[in-house]
């Protein structure tokens, strides 16, 4: 499968919302490293955003679903940039928090 096809399949699975099927797309041994100021974004408010390994991918998507209202989300993909085996997806993800009912998630996300 080409890099672009892999990214498009990952995005399709994310859109379908099945954490186990999404996790199948993650390479074994992948590590997610985040540099995020805790003072601005407390871990209790966003427990799904943390360093993980590929074996935690399904848990990541289950935690997102548990903290947001289903059907009250929107995603806009701006660009998929591919250079050989590397790809970057830019766009915007918006969701609604379960506890507060407020919309969240304005900004770009790279995969």
């Amino acid at each position: 499968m080409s890099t672009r096809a892999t990214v498009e399949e990952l995005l399709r699975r994310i859109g379908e919302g099945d954490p186990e099927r999404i996790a199948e797309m993650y390479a074994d041994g992948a590590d997610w490293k985040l540099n995020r100021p805790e003072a601005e974004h407390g871990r209790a408010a966003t427990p799904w955003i943390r360093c993980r390994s590929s074996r935690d991918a399904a848990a990541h998507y289950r935690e997102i679903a548990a903290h947001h209202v289903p059907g009250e989300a929107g995603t806009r993909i701006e660009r998929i940039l591919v250079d050989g085996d590397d790809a970057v997806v830019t766009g915007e993800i918006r969701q609604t928090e379960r506890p507060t009912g407020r919309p969240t998630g304005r900004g770009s996300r790279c995969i």
Side-chain angles (χ1 to χ4, degrees):
M1 186 182 298
S2 72
T3 302
R4 179 170 294 276
T6 300
V7 169
E8 289 171 350
E9 177 64 15
L10 175 62
L11 294 173
R12 187 183 67 73
R13 291 183 188 199
I14 290 171
E16 291 173 353
D18 181 343
E20 301 306 321
R21 296 246 320 125
I22 297 166
E24 291 172 356
M25 297 296 297
Y26 283 80
D28 291 335
D31 289 321
W32 307 2
K33 303 291 184 190
L34 302 170
N35 183 5
R36 177 172 174 232
E38 282 296 316
E40 291 178 37
H41 308 283
R43 184 171 161 104
T46 55
W48 60 92
I49 301 177
R50 64 174 189 259
C51 295
R52 294 180 184 266
S53 68
S54 57
R55 64 184 172 276
D56 297 331
H60 171 76
Y61 290 98
R62 282 193 295 273
E63 287 178 9
I64 289 174
H67 289 86
H68 294 92
V69 178
E72 292 189 28
T75 301
R76 182 173 53 91
I77 302 298
E78 292 173 353
R79 288 187 176 74
I80 299 174
L81 308 169
V82 177
D83 181 9
D85 291 340
D86 299 320
V88 175
V89 177
T90 63
E92 187 172 81
I93 298 171
R94 294 177 187 242
Q95 298 190 16
T96 301
E97 296 177 350
R98 278 188 197 267
T100 66
R102 293 188 325 219
T104 64
R106 289 186 224 148
S108 294
R109 175 178 179 172
C110 296
I111 296 177

